[in-house]
Amino acid sequence: MSRRKPNGYGSVTKLKGNRSKPWIIKVTQYDADGNGRQVPLDYATTEEEANIILAMAISAQGINQKYTQFRKTPIGDNPAFTF
């Protein structure tokens, strides 16, 4: 069991069923008004792999900076962030 993540960081959740990649990674994206919503980023085979992918996404995007800057580049538009 992992520790809690900070507010606005994102989440790693296990999906039901027999899947080859049952762990989904969701990141929080904020609009211009500061309202956040979680969007799916990727799927992973293990929980550890999913947490690594989430940490790489946060460090590459600076997503967890809700109170310092509201508008962020969407993940798909950032050339530095690719899988």
Side-chain angles (χ1 to χ4, degrees), residues 36-47:
R37 90 179 248 259
Q38 288 191 337
V39 294
L41 175 66
D42 198 6
Y43 296 88
T45 307
T46 63
E47 183 179 10

Side-chain angles (χ1 to χ4, degrees), residues 7-55:
N7 290 339
Y9 191 81
S11 67
V12 172
T13 307
K14 187 169 184 183
L15 300 172
K16 291 196 278 185
N18 186 14
R19 301 168 184 257
S20 61
K21 293 186 174 187
W23 294 92
I24 186 170
I25 300 104
K26 295 180 184 178
V27 293
T28 307
Q29 288 188 335
Y30 298 95
D31 60 9
D33 297 329
N35 300 322
R37 90 179 248 259
Q38 288 191 337
V39 294
L41 175 66
D42 198 6
Y43 296 88
T45 307
T46 63
E47 183 179 10
E48 293 81 17
E49 180 185 353
N51 283 318
I52 290 170
I53 292 170
L54 178 60

